[in-house]
Amino acid sequence: MNWVDHAIWWHTYPLGLAGAPIRDAQPAPAHGLQRLLPWLDHVIELGASGLLLGPIFASASHGYDTLDHFTIDPRLGDDADFDELVEQCRRRGLRILLDGVFSHVADQHPALLDALAEGPESEAAGLFDIDWETRAPRVWEGHGQLARLDHAGQPARELVASVMRHWLARGVDGWRLDAAYSVPVEFWSAVLPGVREEFPDAWFLGEVIHGDYPKFVAEAGVDSLTQYELWKAIWSSINDGNLYELDHAVQRHQGFLNHFTPNTFVGNHDVTRIATTLGPSGAVSALAVLLTLGGIPSIYYGDEYGFTGTKEERVGGDDAVRPELAVSPAEQGMPDHGPTVVDAHRALIALRRRHAWLVTATTEATELSNTRYAYRSSAADGSDHLDVVIDLGGTPPVTITGADGATLWRQSA
């Protein structure tokens, strides 16, 4: 196993976590990355092994509208703050994954403004996908403030490779490739090999929502993809009392594991909080499923406390799922159910770490009905297994048993 096989990510959205203004001007430079430092021991105590960071580079508002890939967002600090975060993570053995927004930039990106002002023969013009008849950049998925890079051209390839190398050399361990699905696979297959040659241990996670996952991995050359199929099936099967849906997704997930190891999750910065969808008990059941299936799991910050929040399709509709944290865990208030939920996270992550073979586990159903689902997750070499029973109408809702028949974890009713 390499380091990725042991990875359990604590996924954060730094601008939100630090309480940075998203749509209003920052009154003065801040040091938001420092807000992460008091939480690093919490990450260790939770059982996670790395930080999966949302955007940290200079941007116009929410971080996904980049202005400069080589500069820390002034709301989050500067190079010194970044170096301190890397050092503090290294002291604790925590890995760091950065969010690489390489499909688009802000429509106010300085190089884009230069290209539009100077015309198609300018030095900057080749970097962007511009309709020169209308002298307007082509936008990303209808968002007028997000301008696409020209992924067919060499300038964009050189920029992205340079950005990746720069921050890998500064101490990070890999990249989450935002909206990787919206970029031609030929772009990734051209960029990643050269970066890997210099940083062979780097890990590349592509954000892909649907489609042929194994085909994308093979053609793009990424290591992993976001497993949205499994995410959807976990919450909706519990919510709807239709565990046949979960079994179907688990079978497909098993097929994916034959080709690559997906990034699995029940919450992230783009979706309604799992405790809002399922309630605290349902959220714990979902976590138990997540951590007893193959994959490289991530825990979205605050989910371990049972945070709630609804994703809405409007300006500011992400705010509720990207909240500020207190300055330290000791000062963090939480819902009444918070202690129960955080205890479940610690216990289930500990179970996962004791059974590290789960990263590539083979899973098969042993019992299935609408409201009751039993499955066995086994080590690839057959040396160990866990038996999991989900009983949506029962007490307890979830039971996990070891190969010797002993109960390893039972969910409180």
Side-chain angles (χ1 to χ4, degrees):
M1 286 188 173
N2 60 30
W3 70 265
V4 179
D5 293 327
H6 298 276
I8 299 175
W9 299 104
W10 193 59
H11 180 185
T12 74
Y13 176 71
L15 289 168
L17 180 151
I22 301 300
R23 288 168 296 280
D24 301 320
Q26 175 77 37
H31 297 277
L33 287 180
Q34 293 183 7
R35 291 284 295 273
L36 278 162
L37 301 182
W39 286 88
L40 299 182
D41 288 337
H42 167 78
V43 177
I44 295 295
E45 292 167 3
L46 194 63
S49 61
L51 298 183
L52 196 171
L53 298 176
I56 64 170
F57 306 132
S59 69
S61 61
H62 46 62
Y64 291 96
D65 45 1
T66 311
L67 293 171
D68 185 345
H69 290 94
F70 296 97
T71 300
I72 300 298
D73 195 297
R75 294 168 291 180
L76 296 176
D78 52 27
D79 280 355
D81 294 307
F82 176 81
D83 291 342
E84 176 70 8
L85 176 61
V86 171
E87 180 183 355
Q88 292 294 337
C89 285
R90 288 291 171 263
R91 288 181 183 178
R92 294 166 174 82
L94 292 171
R95 300 282 180 166
I96 300 175
L97 199 69
L98 293 187
D99 206 341
V101 186
F102 301 131
S103 59
H104 53 270
V105 297
D107 64 348
Q108 297 300 305
H109 191 287
L112 175 61
L113 297 181
D114 288 345
L116 294 173
E118 298 170 10
E121 303 304 320
S122 65
E123 182 178 352
L127 188 57
F128 303 101
D129 187 0
I130 297 173
D131 182 346
W132 288 108
E133 289 187 8
T134 61
R135 213 175 185 86
R138 292 183 173 88
V139 302
W140 181 78
E141 297 190 350
H143 297 279
Q145 295 178 322
L146 301 176
R148 289 190 59 83
L149 296 178
D150 180 3
H151 296 99
Q154 191 62 24
R157 294 177 180 181
E158 292 176 355
L159 170 67
V160 171
S162 179
V163 172
M164 287 182 174
R165 289 189 177 100
H166 176 83
W167 295 102
L168 287 166
R170 294 281 299 276
V172 306
D173 298 283
W175 290 91
R176 172 191 178 272
L177 307 177
D178 180 67
Y181 62 86
S182 70
V183 175
V185 291
E186 294 81 8
F187 177 84
W188 302 121
S189 65
V191 169
L192 296 181
V195 178
R196 288 187 191 279
E197 185 175 351
E198 189 171 346
F199 299 95
D201 292 331
W203 187 63
F204 298 93
L205 165 66
E207 183 193 18
V208 176
I209 298 173
H210 50 71
D212 189 333
Y213 290 176
K215 184 173 185 286
F216 189 99
V217 169
E219 294 183 356
V222 297
D223 297 297
S224 183
L225 297 181
T226 51
Q227 226 295 36
Y228 268 92
E229 283 191 19
L230 185 63
W231 161 78
K232 192 272 179 183
I234 290 174
W235 68 258
S236 64
S237 64
I238 295 173
N239 191 57
D240 298 343
N242 177 19
L243 292 171
Y244 285 94
E245 179 187 5
L246 179 57
D247 179 61
H248 176 73
V250 168
Q251 291 180 47
R252 281 184 55 80
H253 183 65
Q254 193 60 57
F256 300 150
L257 281 161
N258 293 331
H259 299 277
F260 70 100
T261 309
N263 167 230
T264 56
F265 56 94
V266 294
N268 66 28
H269 65 293
D270 280 329
V271 302
T272 292
R273 290 275 181 175
I274 190 69
T276 295
T277 303
L278 298 179
S281 178
V284 170
S285 298
L287 179 74
V289 174
L290 174 73
L291 293 177
T292 52
L293 297 176
I296 299 166
S298 57
I299 308 298
Y300 187 51
Y301 82 107
D303 279 357
E304 70 269 33
Y305 291 132
F307 279 13
T308 57
T310 300
K311 159 84 171 185
E312 299 179 8
E313 296 301 327
R314 59 173 178 81
V315 175
D318 296 311
D319 293 357
V321 299
R322 303 175 180 182
E324 182 176 5
L325 288 184
V327 296
S328 71
E331 299 180 47
Q332 179 65 53
M334 66 178 75
D336 291 340
H337 57 258
T340 300
V341 176
V342 77
D343 286 347
H345 274 75
R346 288 172 177 154
L348 286 165
I349 293 172
L351 183 151
R352 174 75 176 212
R353 293 180 72 86
R354 290 195 302 272
H355 300 83
W357 52 262
L358 278 163
V359 67
T360 56
T362 297
T363 301
E364 58 183 354
T366 57
E367 181 183 349
L368 179 60
S369 68
N370 279 331
T371 59
R372 185 176 170 87
Y373 181 37
Y375 60 85
R376 173 169 290 184
S377 288
S378 303
D381 62 3
S383 62
D384 200 0
H385 69 260
L386 298 179
D387 289 313
V388 182
V389 177
I390 305 167
D391 188 347
L392 298 183
T395 303
V398 181
T399 302
I400 303 173
T401 305
D404 62 357
T407 297
L408 302 180
W409 184 82
R410 179 184 289 116
Q411 183 178 351
S412 300

